[in-house]
Amino acid sequence: MSAPASASAASAAPAPAPPGGPTAAELLDFALRTAADPAIVGSLPLDPQGRTWIRLDGPCGSEAWLIGWPPGTGTGWHDHAESRGAFATARGRLTEHSLAVRLPAEGWRSLELAAGVDRSRRLEAGTGRAFGEHHVHEVLNESASEHAVSVHAYYPPLPLIRRYSRSGAVLGLEQVDRPEDWQ
């Protein structure tokens, strides 16, 4: 993410977390409902040069974000460590490339991926997807002209984000970001 938005948007005060927190399906339900709220989506200032975001109150103690994606921007390959999550497209279209394999949590710097682990999906406005812990993906706005906006939710709140490089079948661990790096 490049620069936080100065505006503030939040849903109602979060409910206390149930034991184990919200499920991935509950996070997806929140993301879809929030993405359908024109007041929240419209509160995000859009920057033609870089992604913008606003932190939202997610359900039951989860972490949530409203993110603006200028044309041609993306996240790069990353995971959300032990957090499960979901995201929904509110405006435009996003593409997600993901890996259908669980990576070791630690103890490696480079891995060769087996054939057939790559997945790709397009998420039009009003659609979303949920995912479990250690989900490795990249999210892109491949449009040459249209801004995209999306809602993301994670539980537990993100302890870290691991960032990867990818060259063909080789995935390399490049960096570990902690909450103080993006909040």
Side-chain angles (χ1 to χ4, degrees):
M1 294 182 193
S2 64
S6 59
S8 162
S11 54
T23 65
E26 290 167 331
L27 294 171
L28 178 57
D29 179 63
F30 166 82
L32 289 166
R33 283 185 291 106
T34 305
D37 185 323
I40 292 175
V41 173
S43 72
L44 180 66
L46 300 178
D47 180 340
Q49 302 303 314
R51 289 190 300 151
T52 53
W53 60 89
I54 296 172
R55 183 154 184 175
L56 305 173
D57 291 321
C60 304
S62 64
E63 178 174 349
W65 299 89
L66 178 66
I67 301 175
W69 306 76
T73 59
T75 61
W77 287 95
H78 68 282
D79 73 14
H80 306 102
E82 292 79 30
S83 297
R84 58 188 165 270
F87 68 97
T89 304
R91 183 183 306 155
R93 175 176 54 204
L94 293 173
T95 299
E96 180 197 37
H97 300 292
S98 62
L99 299 177
V101 63
R102 176 137 182 188
L103 301 178
E106 55 188 46
W108 65 277
R109 298 293 299 170
S110 180
L111 292 172
E112 186 164 349
L113 301 169
V117 300
D118 287 292
R119 302 290 182 267
S120 185
R121 70 180 75 210
R122 291 187 180 208
L123 295 130
E124 305 286 339
T127 65
R129 61 111 67 247
F131 52 85
E133 296 85 356
H134 305 285
H135 177 71
V136 178
H137 68 166
E138 69 174 345
V139 180
L140 309 161
N141 176 4
E142 296 179 317
S143 172
S145 59
E146 186 179 9
H147 230 93
V149 176
S150 57
V151 176
H152 302 247
Y154 310 99
Y155 189 88
L158 297 172
L160 56 91
I161 295 175
R162 288 183 286 254
R163 299 196 181 276
Y164 304 100
S165 61
R166 175 101 189 251
S167 179
V170 178
L171 188 71
L173 177 62
E174 295 296 323
Q175 179 177 331
V176 177
D177 294 338
R178 307 223 178 266
E180 57 270 15
D181 298 324
W182 67 78
Q183 293 183 359

